Amino acid sequence: MQKDIYDRIIGFLQGASWAIVLFGALFTFQFAILFGFSFALFLTIIYIITALFLILLLDAFMVNKERLREAKKQTELLEKIYAKHTHSS
């Protein structure tokens, strides 16, 4: 089954987001280590939590897209059943 452009964009953004989390956490830690280890660790954890929340938002977009796709399929099936029922009665 071929993916539509929306699925490809979301998949790409999810992969890029994980790379941004990893490199961003490393960069944040290296930048903040100048102010002390505990501060750097705290800032890095805050960065990771925020970035993971944004990744969850992307995943929520994907789930909602799937839910909409399934609802359209169900609506189409119900319309066929209704049309068959009304024509046979």
Side-chain angles (χ1 to χ4, degrees):
M1 184 173 168
Q2 189 176 13
K3 291 183 175 182
D4 64 350
I5 190 71
Y6 181 83
D7 292 334
R8 290 182 185 185
I9 290 172
I10 294 295
F12 173 76
L13 288 175
Q14 284 177 331
S17 296
W18 281 107
I20 290 170
V21 167
L22 292 175
F23 289 117
L26 179 65
F27 177 75
T28 302
F29 185 79
Q30 287 180 345
F31 173 75
I33 196 72
L34 300 171
F35 303 109
F37 179 77
S38 59
F39 179 73
L41 188 62
F42 174 73
L43 197 61
T44 303
I45 289 172
I46 294 299
Y47 172 81
I48 290 172
I49 290 171
T50 305
L52 290 177
F53 177 73
L54 295 176
I55 290 174
L56 283 175
L57 284 177
L58 283 175
D59 195 40
F61 288 139
M62 187 69 104
V63 168
N64 283 336
K65 176 72 172 178
E66 255 330 287
R67 186 181 303 158
L68 178 64
R69 186 177 295 142
E70 288 299 318
K72 285 181 181 181
K73 285 180 188 177
Q74 291 174 4
T75 302
E76 183 179 323
L77 287 172
L78 287 172
E79 286 174 349
K80 286 180 183 178
I81 292 170
Y82 179 74
K84 184 182 280 188
H85 183 329
T86 56
H87 290 303
S88 64
S89 295

